[in-house]
Amino acid sequence: MTSEAHFKGLYYAGQEKYSVIFSVSAHGSIESEYDNGKALSILLHKTTMDLIGDPETTLQMCWTESAVNHSLLCHDPALLDRLLKTNLSASTRDQLFVLQKKQHKQFKNEKQRVPLYLTIIATIFFGTYIIFSNSVPFVTDLVPYQWEKEIGSFAFENYQTGKKIVNSPQVKEAINAIIHRIDQFDDAEMTYQVVIVDAKMINAFAFPGGFVVITSGLINNAENPEEVAGVLAHELTHVLQRHSMRKLVRQAGLGVLIGIVLGDVSALSQLIELSSQLDKLSFDRSQERHADDGAIKIMQAAGISPQHFVSFFKKIKQVDTIAGDIPEIFRTHPLTDDRIERVSAASEPNDIFKFDMDWNKVKLGLN
Amino acid sequence: MNFKILYPGAFATLQVDLDKGEAVKAESGAMITMSETMDVDSKLEKGLLGGLTRKLLTGESLFFQTLSATRGSGEVMLASAYPGEIQVLELDGSEEYILQKDGFLAAEESIEISTKAQNLTKGLFSGEGFFVMRISGVGKVAISTYGGLHKLSIAPGETRIIDNSHMVAWSANANYKIEKASKGWVSSFTSGEGLVCRFQGPGDVYIQTRNAPGFGSWIRQFMGTK
């Protein structure tokens, strides 16, 4: 840097502001011409220096003249280098060193601020997400059974609106008999309600609280009542293990989650509002595995061979390949080969139970 | 390039006259009408990362639009979504400005716009968020406000207290601190002012005479519940 170095700055005389180009002499005198010919000349050691702005990197030199505050600002870091090369007293030089060190630090901090904030935001975001997803099962367990029943009953009623219901006594009796058999061996004190929807699609599901929906398409495609029992045992395990409630709570978000913990009744109304989506929520792989295991356990206890569940799986898979369309039931319950293998490997019950009904006659009741 | 303010007051509109080959960048969605000689192009200021940073951090849109007079001289009219004044700032390179997120309307191509992180206290309490826009370079910048626009020139050594939701643009040199409006925490909030910004001169601060959150809460009382 030569003694001729020029710097761009802002000069304030009270509220008047001028853009200036100034030079620094070897003895620390700052000289400038501004506003068409006016002269500015000030000795550095007569000014008070500090760093201002956000970040504090702009050098401010202040002085008072005729009771008016004057200030010269420059954000060029080269100015401090230049000033340190001038002939100044030791105390002024010390002060300049301190300012330069502070300026360097501020520039460095400024550069680090954006990545730092981004890291903090990302950490909070992922932290909240992880805490949220891990707390869903625990919080779902806090939902009172009464709430679950209200939510399920609302969704159940809602689902039936505009749908054709099968009212044939022989079909209803047969399905109730299957449900009753499961109910005896499910290790739970839940009472089930069932409705048969007249629809070609193969589907069955259960809403929270034990409200079961089964389609005539599923009944028609089942070889025997034991196959239906397998599907229903699987669906009811989802309810008993509160899988659909978990999905619902997760869908509802953090606010409802906190509401449940605090026992806030408005959380219930929000869950009810969301419950219309329940029949479309799909389960994840581990939930399917647990529901399969639950179904096997119930079937074994009830004296029904888990192989009936497998045969239904296989039949649906065949329908699936022929029609080229995924049956409704597997849209929400993805069927994989390892699921079939797991259930196939299940042991047979000690005493085999046979439903006392003419299945073909039951099917005739659907028409 | 010429910036002209039409209909000054509540519904101020900016008219930019461009010679052939000139271009102006504007907030996306701000264009009202333009000459047939002009081309619109959306540009990610500072690349994709810069655009994303601005979108995520300042709430500004991902793209700025660039309006270029490619086929001959032309004019374009621009306005922000809300009623208020427009002011044109002339930057000569000696001073940089910080803008609150809705403040930017248009600028000459030579103006650089970047995202700046505020410190923690300002980020949490200024109402501007952690990130604001920093404009530098040489050229004209048009800023838009909600309500009237008032310029405060703060002299060296002078301090000025400004409600944080009224700040639009301020020179980067003017340092400000967030503090409570009165001595006690309770009276600060019961006075309805809450937190304010204490600006230390020298520097210019452009303030808006109305604030959108204030208007929002005022109008909410007349709206029926769902």
Side-chain angles (χ1 to χ4, degrees):
Chain A
M1 185 97 27
T2 66
S3 59
E4 296 297 314
H6 288 82
F7 297 92
K8 214 171 195 179
L10 267 183
Y11 168 53
Y12 281 88
Q15 284 186 341
E16 300 298 319
K17 178 174 81 173
Y18 307 96
S19 264
V20 294
I21 306 276
F22 63 91
S23 62
V24 181
S25 79
H27 299 286
S29 167
I30 292 166
E31 312 281 343
S32 177
E33 262 192 28
Y34 68 97
D35 200 23
N36 298 326
K38 288 186 194 166
L40 166 70
S41 173
I42 185 78
L43 288 165
L44 192 67
H45 67 265
K46 296 254 170 89
T47 69
T48 323
M49 288 177 289
D50 62 350
L51 293 171
I52 60 163
D54 180 18
E56 290 175 357
T57 50
T58 302
L59 181 67
Q60 173 176 241
M61 293 154 276
C62 277
W63 67 97
T64 310
E65 226 173 84
S66 338
V68 176
N69 284 336
H70 292 251
S71 171
L72 180 63
L73 314 180
C74 177
H75 55 70
D76 187 350
L79 176 62
L80 274 170
D81 289 333
R82 171 71 190 114
L83 293 176
L84 279 164
K85 282 179 186 142
T86 53
N87 245 342
L88 292 167
S89 67
S91 65
T92 315
R93 286 177 68 82
D94 286 348
Q95 199 196 344
L96 286 170
F97 267 124
V98 172
L99 288 173
Q100 193 177 40
K101 216 171 149 190
K102 191 177 165 192
Q103 195 186 43
H104 284 170
K105 205 175 146 194
Q106 292 283 350
F107 272 124
K108 206 174 139 197
N109 283 352
E110 165 76 355
K111 265 190 202 148
Q112 286 168 348
R113 242 187 231 172
V114 173
L116 178 74
Y117 285 1
L118 286 178
T119 317
I120 292 173
I121 291 170
T123 316
I124 293 173
F125 182 78
F126 285 113
T128 315
Y129 176 75
I130 289 165
I131 292 169
F132 177 67
S133 18
N134 287 327
S135 63
V136 165
F138 304 109
V139 176
T140 308
D141 288 343
L142 294 177
V143 174
Y145 176 63
Q146 198 49 41
W147 282 29
E148 199 174 329
K149 200 149 185 165
E150 271 184 58
I151 294 162
S153 148
F154 180 86
F156 188 59
E157 296 289 329
N158 197 36
Y159 181 81
Q160 290 177 53
T161 327
K163 291 199 173 63
K164 209 174 149 197
I165 307 297
V166 175
N167 278 317
S168 150
Q170 70 210 63
V171 183
K172 279 167 84 174
E173 229 170 78
I175 300 300
N176 278 328
I178 298 169
I179 294 272
H180 180 69
R181 182 76 190 164
I182 295 169
D183 194 10
Q184 284 175 297
F185 298 95
D186 65 355
D187 277 343
E189 286 180 17
M190 198 177 270
T191 46
Y192 302 112
Q193 265 191 60
V194 65
V195 70
I196 305 143
V197 175
D198 188 11
K200 273 191 177 163
M201 61 180 179
I202 304 167
N203 204 4
F205 51 87
F207 290 113
F211 300 91
V212 185
V213 175
I214 182 165
T215 63
S216 53
L218 188 139
I219 299 171
N220 251 329
N221 275 283
E223 208 67 45
N224 47 51
E226 286 77 16
E227 284 189 0
V228 177
V231 175
L232 291 181
H234 173 95
E235 289 305 326
L236 293 175
T237 311
H238 277 310
V239 172
L240 295 174
Q241 297 190 0
R242 295 187 143 185
H243 292 164
S244 37
M245 273 310 289
R246 279 186 205 173
K247 292 269 165 196
L248 202 63
V249 170
R250 194 181 293 262
Q251 197 94 340
L254 200 63
V256 171
L257 211 77
I258 295 167
I260 294 168
V261 177
L262 300 177
D264 179 4
V265 184
S266 70
L268 171 64
S269 58
Q270 286 184 59
L271 287 173
I272 287 178
E273 241 174 79
L274 275 171
S275 67
S276 57
Q277 301 171 11
L278 266 175
D279 57 310
K280 288 178 193 73
L281 293 177
S282 58
F283 299 103
D284 60 40
R285 276 161 185 246
S286 88
Q287 287 177 331
E288 286 304 339
R289 211 174 46 235
H290 283 126
D292 285 345
D293 291 347
I296 293 169
K297 220 172 137 192
I298 293 172
M299 289 177 89
Q300 283 168 337
I304 305 164
S305 163
Q307 296 315 314
H308 290 296
F309 191 27
V310 179
S311 66
F312 191 75
F313 267 162
K314 285 183 176 162
K315 189 173 312 134
I316 300 300
K317 229 184 155 195
Q318 230 169 7
V319 173
D320 179 11
T321 339
I322 297 164
D325 193 20
I326 308 167
E328 210 58 42
I329 196 164
F330 294 135
R331 284 177 204 254
T332 51
H333 299 60
L335 179 64
T336 52
D337 287 337
D338 65 298
R339 275 186 66 195
I340 298 181
E341 267 172 44
R342 274 174 66 87
V343 184
S344 302
S347 58
E348 289 293 301
N350 297 331
D351 303 310
I352 293 287
F353 169 85
K354 272 267 174 219
F355 283 105
D356 181 22
M357 59 178 84
D358 182 346
W359 189 240
N360 286 328
K361 215 170 150 193
V362 170
K363 281 188 186 180
L364 282 175
L366 290 169
N367 303 320
Chain B
M1 198 182 304
N2 188 26
F3 280 44
K4 198 158 84 188
I5 296 160
L6 308 176
Y7 316 111
F11 297 99
T13 305
L14 179 74
Q15 181 177 313
V16 185
D17 297 314
L18 300 103
D19 288 331
K20 190 179 176 184
E22 284 184 328
V24 61
K25 50 187 160 199
E27 175 56 1
S28 73
M31 200 272 287
I32 304 168
T33 172
M34 65 179 190
S35 310
E36 187 269 330
T37 48
M38 307 273 304
D39 279 334
V40 184
D41 192 15
S42 64
K43 214 178 193 177
L44 283 161
E45 187 79 11
K46 298 213 142 205
L48 181 63
L49 202 64
L52 277 174
T53 317
R54 195 175 54 250
K55 168 80 195 159
L56 291 170
L57 307 183
T58 64
E60 269 289 315
S61 55
L62 181 57
F63 294 91
F64 278 122
Q65 54 177 328
T66 307
L67 302 137
S68 326
T70 34
R71 292 181 300 277
S73 59
E75 61 161 51
V76 57
M77 274 169 77
L78 302 160
S80 63
Y82 45 89
E85 282 195 68
I86 294 172
Q87 171 100 25
V88 178
L89 311 182
E90 293 257 8
L91 268 64
D92 64 0
S94 59
E95 200 170 14
E96 292 177 359
Y97 280 88
I98 309 290
L99 247 62
Q100 63 106 330
K101 58 181 181 293
D102 288 328
F104 179 78
L105 179 62
E108 283 190 60
E109 270 218 303
S110 50
I111 293 290
E112 199 181 307
I113 301 157
S114 56
T115 307
K116 179 185 145 36
Q118 304 208 81
N119 68 26
L120 206 64
T121 336
K122 287 179 190 171
L124 285 172
F125 301 115
S126 69
E128 309 292 348
F130 281 98
F131 301 91
V132 284
M133 286 165 84
R134 185 186 197 113
I135 50 171
S136 53
V138 180
K140 294 187 190 82
V141 181
I143 57 169
S144 60
T145 61
Y146 176 64
L149 184 79
H150 185 77
K151 180 186 173 182
L152 291 170
S153 296
I154 308 170
E158 196 188 337
T159 41
R160 186 90 189 188
I161 294 168
I162 302 165
D163 184 296
N164 51 14
S165 52
H166 285 265
M167 283 152 45
V168 180
W170 57 98
S171 53
N173 293 326
N175 215 348
Y176 75 90
K177 284 192 174 76
I178 307 281
E179 55 180 41
K180 43 190 193 302
S182 59
K183 277 180 187 152
W185 278 107
V186 175
S187 55
S188 286
F189 285 93
T190 47
S191 71
E193 290 305 330
L195 296 163
V196 289
C197 302
R198 179 186 284 267
F199 270 91
Q200 181 86 40
D204 294 334
V205 183
Y206 292 86
I207 56 171
Q208 53 190 12
T209 59
R210 294 288 183 278
N211 77 80
F215 181 68
S217 51
W218 177 78
I219 209 163
R220 215 165 290 136
Q221 62 185 314
F222 304 111
M223 289 159 74
T225 47
K226 194 167 69 168

